[in-house]
């Protein structure tokens, strides 16, 4: 018994809990209520008005909630209670969370959200009217979400996170080129919305400061993570679809696709680069970098070079406040199994017996207990069946995840293969680059060697010329020596001939002497007798002989001298012969050296000629390559010019289309702003004409033409829009002429830009017609300028003093007139009328005194402003420098003086009984508004701690009090003077009353119609007054600046 009682004590607590949770199916409702409560808390924490980023754990809880309920009913039921249209930050964070649900939530989120598409569109248009803060961001983000919903509705094969394999992408187009074409257009629109949000967020941030580390900056940057994930997939699919389309369709048909892809490629590359440099993204996401150049769709093999951008979210990138959340299926399964185990442990596997005496314990009979047990069994069976469904669904999810893992592994292998191919190609390009560098070095070496060879050849030529000169000198010397040798030989021959003559004469003399001796001997023998004669003859002969001997001796001496001379000449001849031989040997050596040099020079010339021919061949190849590169460069430069001209033409076309846009009708502008824009556009046209002429003279000078084209398109578009805005506030006839001239100017600009895109007409492009149109627009703008702006700036200072003096004089005159009217009223009126007139004129006198004090205070404050702000300049120069402020003072002073004069005239009419009290009240309010304008104009440049400013503010309050006194006294006088007619209808018949009733209704309708017309007239007058005042004081120009 003790054991049973202890068991009953242990079981007595769990049973009521189980019964209370399960009785009547209330457990499921409680669970549903708990789920909705948790979701409501998470959604309210994720979407709040604090300018901080959405916490990841709250967003993850919302995503898991959609998977738990298989839809987004709870999410929208909570969101519909939030004031999204009243708080921009709240709407921005809603867009972020909803974007996450569309990407990572259950597939039914899209179906449950389509019914709210029109509400999102209305909210987008509503936030689009705000140009500052989160208004424009919310408008663009809502447009993006609607585009995403429409895209996934049209293409249900694409999941919310856009993750698909190549096979699934092919199946999405159903192997139909028309489907692929339309799908590419829709992806372009989708990606365009993503890029617009990207650019708008970046333009709303001050990038000069570290905005990514502030809470406000992170609130704006956090949704861009979802945008980056979408853009990476859309870019990848667009590239693959364009390659597929180019394999099926002509290239000309897809020109628009390529242009649009190129524009989006440049934007996406720039935005990815800017995002990767932000500190906020570096710890949350790894942003891929797009290639340097876009894919070449005209080359089918370029598809193998395409690398899909992969966005990596590191594991540690989760928010620090996030919490580990287990799978809902596992949690439900674990909780259910735990409940079943506890239930079986407590109650057993069957309830055939009653071991714990539940009948006596709970006061139930056996039938109630059995019914309760059966009910519990039914609930257990239903829960088990639901558990089995959960298990089956989780098993399917595991299979799908495994399949997805296999696909990702296949894609990873493909990416690795592409990476290897890219590395191989990079190595090949690197090797080719090295080879080109070597060829360049060889070319430079060959060039240097050619230069050296030319230098050596030139030196050899100089040496050869020197040798030639030396050889010529040697030949000349040799010829001289030969001539000398010939002369010596001739002299030797003459000497030998003379010696032979001497020897012959000697022989003849010896023969003669011998004959004479023989004759003498014969005579001595034969003629002895004539001895004396013979002796005399002998003596004479001896004398002759002596003479002959002397002659012979002298001849012998001469012969010896001749022999000596001949021997000297022979020695000289021998020396000359030796010298000639030496010269001949030297000449032979020189000739051999010269021949060797000639052979060397010929060989070097042949080698140089061969090297020169080779270098000339290389030079020709290089020149042909350079010509090809130059031609390619010219084509690329013209393509760049053509693309820039197309972009400029698109910009001008967009401006022309906006002229007809109904949303642009509400935009207004001033003639001064139009003239400034027209002047800037005219100057830009002149620079464009100069740049175009330079480009025609030198086709490589395209760098100066492209900026001028971009600036030309921007300024012309701005001029067209400003002209259209100015025409909205101009009179009918000038407005029509201005609008027509703007359209003509846009057409001429488009025609000029079109001629720049055609190589055949680029030389004949002329922008003189655009200049003419701009001149006509400027002339129309000059006509529309308000004449009040023609005052010279040097006259502003004098005009301020004159207007302030005129205002003071007008106030004093008005006060004097009021005093005069008060004296006349006291003299001529009595009773109630005198009392009313005294009260009204007294309050008017008080108002004039208050205005007089305010004008004096304004003068003192202006004098202080001029003295503190002009520096070394004169007051007139200060007024001319601050012309807008000066014109505001002049306008306010004129209004005060005019208001005082009009109010005195109205008071005079009221005192004479010819005017109305309403006119006097309106005049008093108008003069109060004019003094307020004067105070505001004086306060613009005043120091906030100035004592004169305090006096001016006190005087302004005094004017307001005096105005209220005038209005009060006027109303009191009106009620006192006017007599109310007593309405006595007792004597009227039914017909008369009916007649009076109809007359009263007609009168009421007439007065209501008249009142409505007067109100419309008043509104138009105020609008026109505001516009003229804004033009006169430059409000619109300041706003445009």
């Amino acid at each position: 018994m003790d054991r049973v009682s202890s068991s009953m004590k242990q079981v007595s607590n769990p049973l009521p809990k189980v019964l209370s949770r399960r009785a009547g199916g209330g457990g499921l409702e409680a669970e549903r209520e708990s789920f909705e409560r948790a979701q409501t808390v998470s959604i309210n924490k994720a979407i709040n008005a604090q300018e901080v980023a959405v916490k990841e754990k709250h967003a993850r809880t919302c995503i898991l909630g959609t998977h738990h309920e298989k839809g987004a009913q709870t999410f929208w039921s909570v969101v519909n209670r939030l004031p999204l249209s009243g708080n921009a930050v709240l709407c921005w964070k809603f867009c972020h969370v909803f974007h996450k649900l569309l990407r990572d939530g259950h597939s039914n989120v899209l179906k449950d959200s389509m019914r709210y598409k029109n509400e999102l569109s209305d909210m987008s248009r509503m936030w689009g009217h705000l140009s500052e803060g989160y208004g424009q961001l919310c408008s663009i983000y809502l447009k993006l979400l609607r585009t995403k919903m429409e895209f996934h509705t049209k293409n249900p094969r694409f999941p919310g996170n856009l993750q698909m394999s190549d096979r699934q992408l092919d199946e999405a187009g159903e192997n139909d080129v028309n489907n692929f074409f339309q799908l590419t257009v829709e992806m372009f629109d989708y990606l365009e919305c993503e890029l617009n949000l990207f650019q708008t967020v970046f333009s709303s941030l001050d990038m000069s400061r570290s905005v990514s580390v502030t809470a406000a900056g992170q609130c704006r940057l956090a949704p861009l993570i979802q945008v980056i994930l979408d853009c990476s997939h859309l870019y990848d699919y667009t590239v693959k679809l364009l390659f597929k389309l180019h394999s099926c369709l002509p290239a000309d048909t897809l020109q628009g696709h390529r242009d649009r892809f190129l524009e989006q490629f440049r934007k996406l590359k720039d935005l990815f680069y800017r995002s990767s440099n932000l500190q906020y993204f570096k710890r949350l996401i790894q942003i891929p970098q797009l290639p340097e150049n876009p894919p070449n769709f005209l080359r089918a093999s370029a598809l193998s070079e395409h690398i899909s951008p992969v966005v990596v979210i590191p594991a540690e990138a989760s928010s620090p406040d996030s919490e580990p959340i287990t799978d809902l299926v596992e949690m439900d399964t674990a909780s259910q199994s735990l409940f079943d185990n506890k239930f079986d442990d407590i109650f057993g596997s069957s309830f055939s017996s009653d071991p714990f005496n539940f009948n006596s314990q709970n006061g139930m009979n056996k039938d109630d207990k059995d019914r309760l047990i059966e009910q519990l069994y039914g609930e257990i069976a239903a829960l088990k069946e639901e558990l089995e469904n959960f298990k089956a669904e989780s098993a399917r999810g595991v299979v799908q995840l495994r399949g997805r893992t296999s696909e990702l592994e296949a894609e990873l292998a493909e990416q690795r293969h592409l990476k290897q191919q890219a590395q191989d190609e990079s190595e090949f390009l690197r090797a080719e680059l090295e080879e080109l560098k070597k060829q360049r070095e060889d070319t430079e070496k060959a060039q240097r060697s050619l230069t050296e060879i030319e230098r050596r050849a030139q030196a050899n030529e100089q040496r050869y010329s020197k040798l030639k000169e030396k050889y010529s000198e040697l030949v000349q010397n040799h010829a001289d020596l030969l001539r000398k040798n010939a002369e010596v030989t001739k002299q030797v021959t003459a000497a030998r001939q003379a010696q032979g003559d001497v020897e012959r004469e000697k022989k003849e003399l010896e023969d003669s002497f011998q004959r004479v001796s023989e004759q003498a001997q014969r005579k001595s023998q034969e003629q002895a007798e004539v001895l004396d004669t013979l002796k005399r003859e002998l003596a004479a002969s001896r004398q002759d002989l002596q003479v002959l001997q002397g002659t012979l001796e002298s001849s012998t001496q001469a012969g010896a001298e001749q022999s000596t001379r001949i021997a000297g000449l022979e020695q000289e001849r021998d020396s000359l012969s030796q010298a000639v031989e030496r010269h001949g040997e030297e000449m032979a050596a020189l000739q051999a050296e010269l021949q060797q040099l000639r052979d060397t020079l010929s060989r070097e010339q042949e080698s140089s000629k061969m090297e020169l021919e080779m270098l000339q061949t290389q030079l020709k190849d290089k020149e042909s390559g350079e010509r090809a590169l130059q031609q390619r460069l010219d084509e690329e430069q013209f393509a760049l010019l053509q693309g820039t001209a197309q972009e400029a033409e698109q910009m001008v076309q967009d401006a022309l289309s906006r002229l007809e846009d109904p949303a642009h009708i509400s935009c207004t502008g001033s003639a001064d702003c139009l003239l400034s824009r027209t002047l800037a556009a005219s100057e830009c046209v002149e620079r464009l004409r100069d740049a175009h002429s330079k480009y025609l003279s030198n086709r490589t000078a395209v760098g100066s033409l492209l900026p001028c084209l971009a600036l030309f398109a921007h300024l012309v578009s701005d001029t067209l829009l400003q002209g259209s805005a100015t025409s909205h506030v101009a009179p009918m006839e000038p407005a029509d002429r201005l609008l027509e001239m703007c359209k003509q100017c846009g057409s001429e600009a488009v025609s000029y830009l079109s001629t720049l895109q055609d190589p055949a007409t680029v030389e004949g492009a002329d922008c003189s017609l655009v200049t003419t149109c701009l001149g006509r627009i400027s002339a129309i703008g000059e006509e529309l300028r308000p004449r009040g702006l023609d005052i010279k700036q040097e006259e502003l200072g004098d005009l301020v003093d004159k207007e302030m003096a005129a205002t003071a004089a007008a106030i004093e005159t008005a006060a004097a007139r009021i005093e005069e009217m008060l004296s006349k009223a006291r003299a001529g009126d009595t009773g109630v009328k005198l009392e009313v007139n005294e009260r009204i004129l007294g309050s008017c006198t008080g108002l004039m005194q208050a205005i007089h004090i305010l004008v004096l205070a304004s003068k003192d404050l202006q004098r202080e402003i001029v003295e503190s702000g002009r520096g070394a300049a004169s007051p007139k120069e200060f007024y001319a420098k601050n012309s807008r402020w000066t014109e505001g003072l002049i306008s306010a002073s004129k209004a005060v003086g005019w208001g005082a004069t009009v109010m005195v005239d109205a008071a005079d009419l009221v005192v004479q009984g010819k005017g109305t009290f309403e006119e006097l009240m309106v005049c008093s309010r108008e003069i109060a508004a004019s003094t307020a304008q004067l105070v505001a104009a004086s306060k613009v440049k005043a120091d906030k701690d100035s004592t004169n400013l305090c006096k001016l503010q006190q005087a302004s309050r005094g004017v307001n009090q005096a105005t209220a006194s005038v209005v009060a006294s006027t109303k009191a006088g009106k009620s006192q003077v006017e007599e109310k007619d007593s309405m006595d209808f007792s004597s009227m018949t039914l017909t008369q009353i009916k007649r009076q009733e109809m007359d009263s209704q007609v009168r009421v309708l007439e007065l209501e119609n008249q009142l409505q017309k007067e109100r419309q007239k008043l509104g138009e007058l105020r609008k026109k007054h505001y516009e003229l005042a804004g033009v006169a004081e430059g409000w619109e120009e300041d706003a445009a600046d």
Side-chain angles (χ1 to χ4, degrees), residues 429-490:
L429 293 175
R430 191 177 290 108
E432 187 176 358
L433 180 61
E434 293 296 332
E435 184 177 356
L436 290 175
K437 288 182 179 179
K438 290 181 180 178
Q439 291 180 359
R440 182 180 178 183
E441 291 176 357
D442 295 339
T443 305
E444 291 177 354
K445 289 180 180 179
Q447 188 70 25
R448 289 195 297 271
S449 63
L450 178 61
T451 305
E452 183 65 23
I453 289 170
E454 291 177 353
R455 187 182 61 79
R456 289 172 59 187
Q458 186 176 4
N460 290 332
E461 288 179 356
Q462 293 177 357
R463 186 177 179 185
Y464 174 75
S465 61
K466 290 181 180 179
L467 288 174
K468 187 175 181 180
E469 292 175 359
K470 190 173 183 181
Y471 175 74
S472 301
E473 185 179 358
L474 289 174
V475 169
Q476 185 68 27
N477 293 331
H478 182 64
D480 295 336
L481 289 174
L482 288 176
R483 285 194 297 273
K484 288 182 180 180
N485 188 14
E487 291 176 358
V488 170
T489 303
K490 189 183 293 184

Side-chain angles (χ1 to χ4, degrees), residues 4-243:
V4 173
S5 62
S6 63
S7 299
M8 292 182 66
K9 290 178 180 179
Q10 294 175 0
V11 178
S12 60
N13 290 328
L15 182 59
K17 293 181 180 179
V18 174
L19 294 176
S20 64
R21 291 172 55 192
R22 299 298 180 184
L28 295 176
E29 296 179 358
E31 183 180 357
R32 177 67 182 177
E33 183 179 355
S34 176
F35 167 75
E36 291 179 353
R37 187 182 305 110
Q39 286 294 304
T40 302
V41 172
S42 299
I43 293 170
N44 288 326
K45 288 183 178 180
I47 306 174
N48 53 42
Q50 296 179 0
E51 194 174 0
V52 295
V54 176
K55 291 188 177 181
E56 189 67 25
K57 63 180 182 180
H58 301 322
R60 189 183 297 115
T61 303
C62 298
I63 294 171
L64 293 175
T66 61
H67 286 283
H68 179 72
E69 69 170 350
K70 297 181 177 58
Q73 295 88 352
T74 303
F75 173 78
W76 283 108
S77 64
V78 177
V79 167
N80 287 332
R81 294 193 296 267
L82 297 176
L84 300 180
S85 300
N87 192 309
V89 177
L90 197 69
C91 183
W92 176 253
K93 299 178 78 171
F94 155 73
C95 295
H96 184 192
V97 176
F98 185 42
H99 196 175
K100 279 180 168 288
L101 293 184
L102 290 176
R103 279 188 51 83
D104 303 326
H106 195 269
S107 58
N108 291 333
V109 172
L110 178 62
K111 298 178 182 178
D112 294 339
S113 303
M114 286 303 295
R115 70 186 66 175
Y116 301 101
K117 185 175 69 173
N118 294 330
E119 296 180 4
L120 297 179
S121 301
D122 296 338
M123 197 183 306
S124 173
R125 286 193 295 270
M126 186 273 294
W127 284 116
H129 295 295
L130 298 180
S131 59
E132 297 179 356
Y134 282 89
Q136 198 69 21
L137 296 177
C138 293
S139 176
I140 295 176
Y141 207 166
L142 290 169
K143 290 180 183 177
L144 168 61
L145 295 176
R146 178 172 178 177
T147 303
K148 182 177 181 66
M149 293 166 63
E150 292 175 350
F151 176 80
H152 289 290
T153 303
K154 293 179 182 178
N155 305 280
R157 293 178 182 266
F158 283 84
N161 54 10
L162 295 174
Q163 293 180 359
M164 295 180 69
S165 62
D166 293 342
R167 180 177 57 82
Q168 292 173 337
L169 184 62
D170 293 337
E171 293 175 355
E174 298 177 356
N175 293 327
D176 188 355
V177 68
N178 295 322
N179 294 340
F180 285 125
F181 190 93
Q182 182 62 28
L183 182 59
T184 306
V185 174
E186 293 175 358
M187 283 190 177
F188 279 144
D189 296 339
Y190 191 177
L191 185 58
E192 187 70 25
C193 294
E194 301 274 3
L195 295 176
N196 287 339
L197 178 60
F198 222 135
Q199 290 179 329
T200 307
V201 172
F202 272 91
S203 62
S204 67
L205 297 174
D206 186 4
M207 305 308 292
S208 61
R209 299 184 292 112
S210 300
V211 294
S212 63
V213 298
T214 62
Q218 292 178 1
C219 181
R220 299 192 182 194
L221 293 174
L224 295 185
I225 296 177
Q226 312 300 318
V227 176
I228 293 171
L229 292 171
D230 287 345
C231 289
S232 62
H233 292 297
L234 290 174
Y235 167 76
D236 183 30
Y237 299 154
T238 304
V239 172
K240 294 177 180 178
L241 289 176
L242 283 176
F243 274 111

Side-chain angles (χ1 to χ4, degrees), residues 529-780:
E529 294 118 6
V530 197
L531 181 59
D532 295 331
T533 308
L534 287 173
K535 285 182 179 180
R536 289 192 295 273
E537 290 180 359
L538 179 60
S541 299
R542 286 181 179 176
Q543 289 178 355
D544 295 333
L545 181 61
Q546 289 179 354
V547 173
L548 291 172
Q549 285 180 349
T551 305
L552 181 62
E553 288 177 357
S554 61
S555 299
T556 304
Q557 290 178 356
E561 290 178 357
Q562 290 291 334
S563 300
T564 304
R565 186 177 178 183
I566 289 171
L569 291 174
E570 288 179 352
Q571 290 179 358
E572 186 177 358
R573 186 188 66 182
D574 294 337
S575 63
L576 288 174
S577 299
Q578 292 177 359
V580 169
E581 291 177 357
R582 288 197 302 272
H583 283 298
E585 291 176 357
E586 290 180 0
M587 187 176 294
L590 289 174
Q591 287 178 351
E593 185 178 1
L594 179 61
Q595 185 66 30
Q596 185 179 2
L597 287 174
R598 286 177 177 176
D599 296 337
T600 304
L601 182 61
S602 63
R603 287 194 301 271
E604 289 181 355
Q605 285 179 349
E606 290 178 358
S607 62
S608 300
K609 186 177 181 181
M610 294 175 63
E611 290 180 359
L612 183 61
E613 290 177 354
M614 182 177 65
L615 289 175
Q616 286 179 351
T617 305
Q618 293 180 359
L619 183 61
K620 289 179 180 178
D621 296 337
K622 186 176 181 181
E623 287 178 353
S624 62
E626 288 181 354
R627 284 195 298 271
L629 290 175
Q630 184 65 32
Q631 183 178 2
R632 184 178 177 184
L633 178 61
D634 294 339
E635 292 176 356
E636 290 181 355
Q637 286 181 348
F638 185 77
L640 186 60
L641 173 62
Q642 190 176 16
T644 305
Q646 288 178 356
E647 292 294 334
E649 181 181 356
Q650 184 64 30
M651 188 181 298
V652 178
Q653 289 283 10
D654 181 59
L656 287 174
S657 62
R658 289 182 64 184
L659 295 182
E660 305 295 337
D661 190 1
H664 186 65
I665 297 176
S666 60
C667 299
T668 59
S670 65
D672 286 339
C673 187
L674 174 61
L675 291 174
S676 63
R677 294 293 88 194
T678 307
L679 179 61
S682 301
E683 294 175 354
C684 180
V685 169
E686 294 299 327
R687 293 197 297 271
L688 179 61
R689 183 182 289 108
D690 296 338
H692 183 233
S693 61
K694 291 181 182 178
Y695 172 73
L696 293 179
S697 60
N698 184 11
R699 291 304 177 102
T700 60
V702 72
S704 60
L705 181 59
L706 297 181
C708 292
L709 274 178
L711 183 60
F712 169 76
H714 171 70
L715 292 177
V716 169
S717 301
D718 196 8
T719 302
L720 298 182
L721 295 177
Q722 190 64 35
S724 176
T726 306
S727 67
H728 295 159
V729 296
M732 182 66 68
E733 193 271 334
D736 293 339
R737 287 193 291 114
L738 179 59
L739 190 60
E740 184 64 28
M741 192 53 59
C742 289
K743 292 180 180 179
Q744 183 179 355
C745 180
S747 301
E748 295 296 340
V750 170
S751 176
Y752 172 69
L753 293 173
S754 299
T755 55
L756 289 179
Q757 300 174 24
D758 189 1
T761 60
V762 67
E763 295 183 357
D766 188 12
C767 57
S768 59
L769 295 178
V770 180
T771 305
T772 304
C773 293
L774 290 175
R776 294 176 181 176
I777 292 174
S778 179
I780 297 174

Side-chain angles (χ1 to χ4, degrees), residues 492-506:
V492 169
T493 304
R496 284 179 179 178
Q497 288 178 357
Q499 186 178 6
D501 295 335
V502 171
E503 287 178 352
R504 282 193 302 271
E505 288 179 0
K506 183 178 180 181

